[in-house]
Amino acid sequence: MVLSGPLYAQLCTNQSRVYASFQDSQIIRGLGASASLTNGSKAADSDPSTASTSSINSLLSTSSVTQFLEFSTDGTDLGKRLIPANKTVIVKVSSPAAALSLSGTIEIGTFTNFDTNTKAATRTALYSNPIAGVLGGGRAIELFLTPAQAYNGVYIKVTAAASLGVSAEIYGAYILEDNPLDIECDKGIDVLAGVNGAGILNATASVSNPYAAIDADPAYATYATINTGLQAANEAFITAIFAKESQPLDSIKIVYDGGGGLSLFSGFTIQPYLGNATAGGAFNNGNVTVKPIAGTTKYEVSFPVSAVFDRVKISWGGVLAIGAELHIYNVTKVIPKPIPLINGQQLYAGNVCSGQGTILSIDNLQDCTTYKWYADKNTPTPLFTGSSYNLGVLPVGDYVYYVESRRNNCISSISERVKVTLKVNPLPTVSVTNVISCSGSAVNLSVDNPLPGITYKWYDAVTGGNLKQTGTTYTTPALTANTTYYVEAVNQITGCVSASRAALAIQVKPIATVGTTTGINKICIGSSTTLNNVNPGGTWLSTNPLIAMVNAGTGEVTGVAAGTTVIRYTIPDGPAVCTNSTDFNLTVAAPPGLTLGAAPEICSGFTSSSLSYNNPLNNPTTYSISWNTAGFTAINNQALPPGNIPFTVPFDAATGTHSGILTIKNADGCSTQINFTIKINPKPAAPHVLLPITSQY
């Protein structure tokens, strides 16, 4: 058997308690023991405040009292029902503080096939725990059991050995089933009460008259009393259980006073639950607001709970609570007041504009809730029912509406009516004057006679379109054709917009015709070229004369430094046209360079040599060599090898120094000429060897 978590599903259909209505018992008495079940029928009477009592006094042997609670259609064993598997059943039990025993246990399980003669049944599932651990402190609890097998009912078995005064109270067992009728959703239907604590002084704590906390007495004349007794560790509590689970953001409302002179909220903790699982965090004196009830010593605390809950536990204890009493007059669940929206904005009082439709709706919508709209605070007949009330287009004037929340299938779960006021305002007006401009120029536009408190917005269309500017003036982008802009007026207080946008037409003169600039678009530093345009009468301009200079009249361009610049050709304003220009992108490339090594020297008769170099600049790619000495072979546009530039020397070249010109080029077509020399040295004379001659003759 599984101990269930939250029992309730978020359903609009009500679910009501269906109690096990037939009961029987089995008592086993040990040697010299007494055991009994009193008021057995009160565990099956559908009254959560009444209970049977299982009692055992057994010093010499083990005794047990088992009570069977069976679900029945007619209150008899013959009308027994088979409850399907996984249907949660709840058992309410308690043990008085004076009846604790470490040797007592309580066993709870489900059963089928109970025999009224033999008092035997088939156990289908089991939950068991020590009495002191589950029920200690004189407190009532509910156990949530979800059997994995079908069952007819629940049994509660109290067992004790070598014990005096072991007892347990069984209030009943129930399941939840759909109920098509309306119910009181916000009032309490049951109470769990008791003491959490340890030690002998725990028995001095008490909760009296607990059901007065949920009797909904409008005069607050009855109350439950919590007294923590004489031990600081004690914590007495009341748990109020409601007939229906909440919706998120329903509130808990508690009316209380401090009894014996209590004036502080210290030691008072409130924890919502859904079944046996906590529903959000606890609320205490640090996170709620307490409101005194005028003319009384009572206080009201009310706060929303974001989680779904079906019960609330009120605990009181601690040093400041020793010997004092806390009175709980009323614990209820409260449906929140609706928060109105006027055309989608959270407002209780709103302005709309003449000609504009208005929709009233709800911001804090809840499931299983109906919203009704009224003409005043008390009239019983609503103007409209629903979460979204379309008022349509209203004439200029002032209007008042009221809205309330009603929880579906609930008798009295109705919020206070919330007032919503609406003012329908007139629309502002706007006027403008047409202008003339040149194509390609920006135009400064303005509103005629602007008024304070009015915002002016400029658009590019009579309706919709793009917002271009907000203000009394607007500077357009450069225009090339006749253009119309539209301006509307917005009242800064009411937000109302003029009925239509005022049109401002701009007549644009044509710009001069300028052809495409032609010419070479890449030159080298120091070189020149002349650009041309088919339309005469214009002037030339370099946007960066540090890169290239241009003659304003002729269009001759000279490269100054490596880089890119724009050469602009402009035809000025004339009587019938406006100025116009065209741009020509020009690149100035840097010439290549390198550093030659020492002039090469070779001996006469050698036919090859090379020029060594380093530090190549601007990516030289080819080389050419011309000679100032006849007979040397020129080289034209050869790929530049790395490090050394080879060349040939005539076999019969005269000794001495010969000069040449090295020309290197890069991929941009720029070239550099470098003078160089080569020295041809004479061969040294051949050595003469003298050999002595000896003769015998």
Side-chain angles (χ1 to χ4, degrees):
M1 178 177 294
V2 177
L3 275 179
S4 172
L7 176 62
Y8 297 97
Q10 278 290 285
L11 301 174
C12 295
T13 302
N14 291 328
Q15 288 192 314
S16 295
R17 294 181 174 189
V18 176
Y19 280 89
S21 57
F22 171 76
Q23 72 85 30
D24 207 334
S25 60
Q26 181 187 60
I27 300 175
I28 298 175
R29 297 178 179 86
L31 180 64
S34 66
S36 64
L37 175 70
T38 58
N39 298 317
S41 61
K42 291 186 177 181
D45 62 1
S46 302
D47 183 348
S49 66
T50 61
S52 66
T53 302
S54 295
S55 303
I56 299 175
N57 287 286
S58 182
L59 288 176
L60 302 177
S61 59
T62 299
S63 300
S64 66
V65 177
T66 303
Q67 184 170 23
F68 296 90
L69 301 178
E70 188 174 69
F71 292 95
S72 173
T73 59
D74 59 5
T76 70
D77 180 62
L78 294 177
K80 68 178 64 175
R81 295 177 55 188
L82 184 64
I83 308 302
N86 299 313
K87 178 70 172 179
T88 298
V89 58
I90 303 95
V91 182
K92 180 180 177 182
V93 294
S94 73
S95 177
L100 298 181
S101 172
L102 294 178
S103 60
T105 61
I106 183 169
E107 175 184 314
I108 300 176
T110 55
F111 67 87
T112 58
N113 303 319
F114 177 72
D115 188 322
T116 57
N117 294 317
T118 64
K119 311 301 183 184
T122 302
R123 186 175 69 188
T124 59
L126 170 68
Y127 170 71
S128 179
N129 236 6
I131 289 177
V134 177
L135 305 175
R139 55 193 173 105
I141 65 169
E142 283 189 337
L143 294 176
F144 291 72
L145 291 72
T146 304
Q149 301 83 18
Y151 58 94
N152 295 130
V154 179
Y155 71 88
I156 302 94
K157 180 179 181 180
V158 178
T159 303
S163 299
L164 286 174
V166 172
S167 69
E169 294 176 338
I170 297 95
Y171 292 84
Y174 65 90
I175 58 176
L176 292 178
E177 292 187 331
D178 289 349
N179 179 3
L181 302 177
D182 290 353
I183 63 173
E184 286 289 357
C185 299
D186 297 339
K187 296 178 181 179
I189 61 170
D190 196 5
V191 171
L192 304 177
V195 177
N196 295 320
I200 297 175
L201 293 179
N202 185 26
T204 65
S206 65
V207 177
S208 60
N209 201 22
Y211 281 87
I214 61 169
D215 63 5
D217 177 9
Y220 303 137
T222 60
Y223 54 84
T225 300
I226 299 177
N227 190 314
T228 58
L230 303 178
Q231 183 163 307
N234 287 345
E235 178 190 67
F237 70 89
I238 290 177
T239 299
I241 303 174
F242 303 109
K244 184 179 179 69
E245 75 278 9
S246 73
Q247 291 293 325
L249 297 180
D250 280 358
S251 293
I252 293 171
K253 176 182 174 182
I254 300 170
V255 176
Y256 75 98
D257 72 18
L262 179 68
S263 60
L264 299 176
F265 206 37
S266 300
F268 195 5
T269 301
I270 306 167
Q271 174 65 63
Y273 284 83
L274 179 62
N276 60 357
T278 58
F283 298 83
N284 53 48
N285 54 302
N287 55 13
V288 297
T289 301
V290 181
K291 180 176 69 175
I293 298 176
T296 72
T297 61
K298 303 175 182 65
Y299 296 87
E300 176 187 301
V301 57
S302 179
F303 50 87
V305 181
S306 59
V308 176
F309 65 92
D310 73 321
R311 62 195 63 199
V312 59
K313 181 179 180 181
I314 303 164
S315 304
W316 192 48
V319 173
L320 295 179
I322 293 177
E325 289 184 350
L326 181 67
H327 298 161
I328 306 296
Y329 290 84
N330 205 0
V331 182
T332 56
K333 177 161 56 73
V334 181
I335 185 173
K337 293 185 291 185
I339 299 173
L341 297 173
I342 300 177
N343 287 337
Q345 294 186 330
Q346 189 184 111
L347 297 169
Y348 292 88
N351 289 280
V352 297
C353 302
S354 177
Q356 176 186 358
T358 303
I359 296 176
L360 305 180
S361 56
I362 305 300
D363 189 35
N364 57 335
L365 280 174
Q366 292 182 297
D367 291 337
C368 307
T369 305
T370 298
Y371 300 90
K372 293 180 180 288
W373 304 83
Y374 298 88
D376 57 50
K377 193 170 185 178
N378 299 310
T379 183
T381 304
L383 298 171
F384 178 78
T385 298
S387 60
S388 181
Y389 183 14
N390 190 341
L391 301 177
V393 177
L394 299 172
V396 172
D398 297 307
Y399 301 86
V400 177
Y401 301 91
Y402 288 83
V403 61
E404 70 182 14
S405 305
R406 288 176 174 255
R407 188 59 41 80
N408 298 347
N409 306 316
C410 296
I411 296 172
S412 57
S413 184
I414 305 171
S415 75
E416 295 181 28
R417 291 187 185 179
V418 175
K419 185 178 181 180
V420 183
T421 59
L422 186 67
K423 184 177 182 63
V424 180
N425 297 289
L427 307 182
T429 60
V430 60
S431 64
V432 289
T433 303
N434 296 336
V435 297
I436 299 174
S437 182
C438 291
S439 177
S441 299
V443 184
N444 294 321
L445 309 179
S446 62
V447 172
D448 296 341
N449 303 314
L451 298 175
I454 303 296
T455 297
Y456 298 93
K457 295 184 177 183
W458 299 81
Y459 293 87
D460 57 6
V462 65
T463 59
N466 300 302
L467 176 63
K468 311 301 290 186
Q469 175 73 20
T470 298
T472 58
T473 62
Y474 168 51
T475 300
T476 73
L479 302 177
T480 58
N482 292 344
T483 305
T484 301
Y485 288 95
Y486 304 85
V487 60
E488 69 182 16
V490 182
N491 188 301
Q492 295 172 2
I493 296 176
T494 66
C496 293
V497 181
S498 52
S500 61
R501 296 174 182 173
L504 194 159
I506 305 169
Q507 181 185 351
V508 179
K509 293 190 303 181
I511 61 173
T513 301
V514 180
T516 301
T517 297
T518 59
I520 298 172
N521 64 1
K522 182 182 287 187
I523 62 175
C524 300
I525 294 174
S527 64
S528 298
T529 188
T530 299
L531 304 179
N532 297 285
N533 194 286
V534 295
N535 297 101
T539 58
W540 300 89
L541 172 71
S542 172
T543 60
N544 191 347
L546 297 178
I547 299 297
M549 296 185 297
V550 63
N551 186 296
T554 65
E556 182 183 17
V557 181
T558 301
V560 176
T564 300
T565 186
V566 172
I567 305 301
R568 181 167 296 145
Y569 181 71
T570 303
I571 295 178
D573 285 334
V577 296
C578 295
T579 185
N580 193 13
S581 62
T582 184
D583 290 345
F584 183 83
N585 294 321
L586 179 74
T587 299
V588 179
L594 52 75
T595 302
L596 290 177
E601 294 186 31
I602 62 173
C603 292
S604 177
F606 281 62
T607 60
S608 64
S609 185
S610 63
L611 299 172
S612 63
Y613 72 90
N614 56 29
N615 299 324
L617 300 174
N618 300 320
N619 301 314
T621 58
T622 65
Y623 75 98
S624 299
I625 295 177
S626 62
W627 297 93
N628 296 323
T629 303
F632 279 72
T633 302
I635 300 174
N636 291 312
N637 294 324
Q638 297 298 307
L640 181 68
N644 288 280
I645 303 171
F647 58 85
T648 61
V649 178
F651 175 77
D652 56 353
T655 60
T657 300
H658 301 271
S659 62
I661 299 173
L662 171 66
T663 302
I664 55 175
K665 292 183 179 180
N666 59 18
D668 292 321
C670 297
S671 64
T672 299
Q673 291 185 337
I674 304 172
N675 293 319
F676 70 92
T677 61
I678 179 175
K679 185 177 181 182
I680 300 177
N681 296 313
K683 288 183 180 180
H688 297 278
V689 179
L690 297 178
L691 298 175
I693 299 174
T694 303
S695 176
Q696 298 179 358
Y697 302 96

